[in-house]
Amino acid sequence: MNGKETQGMNGVLTLELLNLDGTLMERRKVPNLITIAGKRLVAELLMGRVNALTTSWSIAVGTGTTQPMPSNIKLDNQVDLAADTAPKVEEVILGDGTSTVRALVTATLPPPPAQSTVQPLTEAGILVTLGTGAPILFNRVRFEEVNRGSNMVMKMTWEISF
């Protein structure tokens, strides 16, 4: 081993649509883009320049159709949001003896109101709130349409690897 790091920060979103009884209807894994604001947040935390601890982690979903850009600071058209009250950090030992650290943000969107039509969701992102500040869009992903109806919940798990 030459002591040189080759892995950067990256993320993958797993979307699961579940019937109300918990049975899996559909699962997708989609790699995402870490925004400049997200990278800046990690750097500022590392350097001790951010005074407030993170007060909330949420996953937002929307119906926007533009491709993610590093400069994104919000979703195109956010329609819903679910919080993760207990995000996790874990070390994963790889087959070659090296390891990676992974942060997991998990949130579940309840069914939309029964009178709602199907929601054609196409984008998602993690929102990080520090203290009383505005939420920071940590990352953003655009995916093929997922139709969320009143007979299903949507579970989202975001893995951010370092």
Side-chain angles (χ1 to χ4, degrees), residues 108-122:
T108 302
L109 290 169
Q115 68 272 20
S116 295
T117 59
V118 172
Q119 282 183 321
L121 302 174
T122 54

Side-chain angles (χ1 to χ4, degrees), residues 40-41 43-45 47-54 130:
R40 178 176 280 296
L41 173 62
E44 295 284 348
L45 288 168
M47 301 317 259
R49 295 186 182 149
V50 175
N51 294 332
L53 294 176
T54 301
L130 302 174

